[in-house]
Amino acid sequence: MSNTPPRCSHEFDPTAAGADPDDYREVTDDDGVWRCPHQTDPAGAANAAGVPEVGGTDRCPFHTDAAATDTRTLTESFRQTVADPDAPSEFLDVELGDVDLTYDVLEAASNRPIDLRHATVDGDFRLAHATVRQRLRLDDARLTGELDCQYAEFDETLSAEGVTAGEGVNFEEATFREPVYLSDATFDGTCRWIEAEFRAGVWCNRATFGKLKTHRVTVDDSVDLSEAEIDEIQLRQGKVHGRALFNQTTFDTASFAETQFHETVQFDGTRLSERLSLRNVTVDDELVVRDVRTPPDGTVVRLNGAHVEGGRLCPAVADSDDTDTGPLVYDLVGATVGDVSLGSRANLDHYRFLDTTFKGFDFAAYRDRLAAVDWQLQAVEWPASRETDERGSTPSPGRVEATFLKAKNGANEVGDTTAAAEFFRREMQARRRTHGRQVFHGGGVERAVAAGRWVGNMLLGTVAGYDERPWRVVATAAVVVSAGAGGFSLLLDSPPHDHPVGYLVVSLESFLTLVLAGGASISSPWIRLFALIEAFVGAVLVALFVFTLTRSIHR
């Protein structure tokens, strides 16, 4: 009789377990069934047929009842089996208690993966501070506890697609040198990926997370959370060097504050229950927010202090069977906006530009809509649910003035002189309000200076539309000539040229300093002074008209 213990009798049928048999083809037999390659425990007592019995069963230690097995002994058996170059590294459908591989080095003599697919772990699977030099497969595994990989180093791929961990996954300060696959996984607890390094990307399509904390995480490749469901995600001060995809992802709360994205960031078809915070993020390529679904009362995308080189910031859309989608408001206070499109359906009341810097933004594409809101940038219709921090804030005239100054400079950079002219007018109007505030503050001299500046600003805006409205100069000239005619009618004893129209003729001659032959003779010094004053005003208005007309033609 051979001294070699028989193989374990455990079998695993992926099809019967609801798994895709193609995913297991490399380890199953021709009939699509995987048969455990491990041997039964040779220490067990043989029965009449010569088959050893371990705990009353003909299975290997990894397929006995986990509750009846010493977890420490079983972990040691697992460790020795992985290290044995002659032992198989397949552990499919095992049932284990707590697995503690803390500080271990998992390294086999071959390139075969450590295969724990469809395993059941009644407790935690701990790899804290471990070094894993083999590909580790935990696909479709079920853990009642936590997948703990904090401070671990993975030299090969970690695949945990479809895994379920009742207490989440801990990747804190772990290093992954090859891809990490977590698609279709479910993590009910808090997941901590703080300061983790993913050097070849991480894929979490259709995964479900409770709370995901990823502060200061570094991803050298792409991160894909498309179609995932996440109660709360906090990705702060992270660095993503590849694409970041959140297409059709469902968020309750999402914050990506101060994160650097070096390639495209996409929120295409994303569902938002609360606000999306992108405060102080840097996007070197494109930020795409498109076809987003929002709650009935709407929500806000916070881009305060963000730097976005390009992309699309589109309004929310409603599902075909859902007409209760609320407005999606973009708060761009202090942001830097490059070649960003707002979409063909953009409502400018849902974009707040305040202290915003424009670097390549195409104002011409929205000229009609800007004119419809009188070229206002900072006014916004906040969603009804945002009460205090957004709706209650009123920007100071100084901040509004700075906003239109930056908008004017941005329009000039792209050669849009029409938009630049309109923003200049708004800038000057905001400056007038600043002077108006200063009239009621400070000392007497400061208040007097502010009052003078306010009057000068008001006159320039009224008379010439801040050098952008030549027709206003013409209208002002007509008022001055008419007023002059009225003044001459009071000062002269009889109408010049023996006709009432003579008053208007004298006023127009004084205004233009052009007296035709046969003009009226004026001997009174007071009347001559009145005429000279009108001549001075006329000369100023003529010069202002020429300047304004030339400026408007240049625009």
Side-chain angles (χ1 to χ4, degrees):
M1 183 173 59
S2 172
N3 293 327
T4 302
R7 285 178 56 174
C8 174
S9 64
H10 184 78
E11 297 180 351
F12 171 64
D13 186 351
T15 302
D20 186 349
D22 290 338
D23 293 340
Y24 292 82
R25 190 177 301 277
E26 76 277 11
V27 296
T28 56
D29 295 334
D30 292 339
D31 58 358
V33 176
W34 174 81
R35 293 174 174 85
C36 179
H38 297 285
Q39 299 171 347
T40 56
D41 189 347
N47 59 19
V51 177
E53 294 180 343
V54 180
T57 180
D58 59 351
R59 297 185 177 186
C60 70
F62 306 109
H63 287 108
T64 56
D65 185 358
T69 305
D70 181 1
T71 58
R72 183 173 299 177
T73 301
L74 190 61
T75 299
E76 183 60 30
S77 297
F78 174 80
R79 184 184 294 113
Q80 292 177 359
T81 303
V82 169
D84 186 350
D86 298 322
S89 58
E90 298 171 13
F91 304 91
L92 279 71
D93 200 39
V94 298
E95 294 187 9
L96 307 171
D98 280 316
V99 178
D100 189 355
L101 299 169
T102 303
Y103 289 102
D104 274 17
V105 177
L106 298 183
E107 181 178 19
S110 69
N111 290 327
R112 293 173 299 180
I114 301 172
D115 198 339
L116 284 158
R117 283 179 287 179
H118 215 274
T120 299
V121 179
D122 187 14
D124 297 332
F125 194 97
R126 289 188 285 272
L127 286 164
H129 300 274
T131 299
V132 183
R133 293 176 177 160
Q134 298 295 117
R135 182 182 182 187
L136 178 61
R137 302 204 64 175
L138 289 166
D139 308 289
D140 300 318
R142 297 175 298 278
L143 287 70
T144 61
E146 181 182 56
L147 175 59
D148 183 4
C149 302
Q150 60 180 323
Y151 306 102
E153 294 189 12
F154 288 78
D155 293 341
E156 296 294 336
T157 300
L158 170 62
S159 180
E161 295 184 330
V163 71
T164 299
E167 296 183 13
V169 57
N170 190 343
F171 287 161
E172 185 170 354
E173 296 194 45
T175 301
F176 302 89
R177 295 183 175 87
E178 294 295 331
V180 176
Y181 298 102
L182 300 175
S183 299
D184 301 296
T186 300
F187 302 108
D188 295 328
T190 298
C191 300
R192 297 173 60 85
W193 296 7
I194 298 172
E195 297 188 38
E197 292 186 29
F198 298 92
R199 297 183 181 176
V202 54
W203 282 262
C204 306
N205 313 68
R206 301 174 300 281
T208 301
F209 295 90
K211 191 171 184 178
L212 179 57
K213 294 184 176 181
T214 59
H215 308 323
R216 298 178 295 280
V217 69
T218 300
V219 184
D220 291 338
D221 205 309
S222 298
V223 55
D224 191 349
L225 281 156
S226 297
E227 301 181 63
E229 295 185 8
I230 305 174
D231 291 342
E232 180 179 353
I233 181 172
Q234 297 178 8
L235 173 56
R236 296 179 180 174
Q237 299 178 344
K239 295 180 181 179
V240 181
H241 295 275
R243 296 195 304 166
L245 304 178
F246 306 95
N247 300 328
Q248 301 182 49
T249 305
T250 299
F251 294 113
D252 284 349
T253 303
S255 175
F256 300 88
E258 301 178 45
T259 296
Q260 298 177 24
F261 297 98
H262 294 285
E263 290 192 20
T264 299
V265 185
Q266 289 187 356
F267 295 89
D268 197 339
T270 305
R271 292 181 177 273
L272 300 175
S273 297
E274 293 292 334
R275 73 183 64 182
L276 170 63
S277 178
L278 296 168
R279 288 177 178 267
N280 299 308
V281 302
T282 300
V283 182
D284 293 337
D285 196 348
E286 290 190 340
L287 171 62
V288 178
V289 184
R290 178 174 53 195
D291 295 340
V292 170
R293 274 68 173 176
T294 62
D297 57 353
T299 191
V300 178
V301 177
R302 305 300 297 268
L303 283 156
N304 309 60
H307 187 110
V308 181
E309 286 292 331
R312 298 172 62 87
L313 302 178
C314 301
V317 298
D319 294 330
S320 58
D321 58 347
D322 180 12
T323 58
D324 293 331
T325 295
L328 181 64
V329 173
Y330 293 90
D331 193 355
L332 292 139
V333 174
T336 298
V337 180
D339 185 14
V340 174
S341 170
L342 306 183
S344 58
R345 300 177 291 104
N347 179 355
L348 295 185
D349 287 337
H350 295 159
Y351 297 83
R352 188 190 194 198
F353 300 103
L354 185 64
D355 281 337
T356 307
T357 301
F358 299 91
K359 297 288 186 180
F361 185 82
D362 184 12
F363 290 102
Y366 313 100
R367 190 171 293 170
D368 293 341
R369 277 170 278 182
L370 283 166
V373 297
D374 200 20
W375 297 88
Q376 292 283 359
L377 294 176
Q378 78 283 359
V380 65
E381 294 181 2
W382 292 108
S385 61
R386 315 299 166 193
E387 294 296 339
T388 56
D389 55 340
E390 291 104 351
R391 294 169 65 89
S393 60
T394 300
S396 67
R399 294 190 73 189
V400 175
E401 179 184 347
T403 299
F404 286 112
L405 172 62
K406 292 178 179 180
K408 178 191 70 176
N409 293 339
N412 281 326
E413 284 185 8
V414 296
D416 189 349
T417 55
T418 299
E422 295 298 335
F423 292 140
F424 175 70
R425 288 197 316 112
R426 284 292 176 186
E427 175 192 350
M428 296 301 291
Q429 290 171 358
R431 186 176 300 175
R432 185 202 306 176
R433 289 192 291 272
T434 300
H435 295 327
R437 281 192 173 188
Q438 292 171 347
V439 169
F440 301 99
H441 299 85
V445 175
E446 294 175 349
R447 296 171 66 178
V449 171
R453 289 175 176 173
W454 184 91
V455 171
N457 185 295
M458 182 272 295
L459 288 176
L460 184 60
T462 303
V463 172
Y466 299 107
D467 299 332
E468 301 292 346
R469 298 288 188 269
W471 63 266
R472 286 197 179 188
V473 182
V474 174
T476 302
V479 171
V480 170
V481 171
S482 298
F488 282 118
S489 69
L490 297 175
L491 295 172
L492 294 175
D493 296 332
S494 60
H497 308 292
D498 298 325
H499 194 281
V501 177
Y503 296 121
L504 185 60
V505 171
V506 172
S507 178
L508 189 57
E509 290 176 338
S510 299
F511 183 87
L512 298 174
T513 62
L514 178 64
V515 180
L516 300 177
S521 175
I522 299 175
S523 58
S524 171
W526 298 108
I527 298 177
R528 291 181 67 85
L529 177 62
F530 180 79
L532 290 172
I533 293 174
E534 184 178 2
F536 174 77
V537 174
V540 172
L541 289 178
V542 168
L544 186 59
F545 173 74
V546 172
F547 175 79
T548 306
L549 180 62
T550 304
R551 185 182 178 94
S552 64
I553 293 173
H554 175 71
R555 292 289 194 192

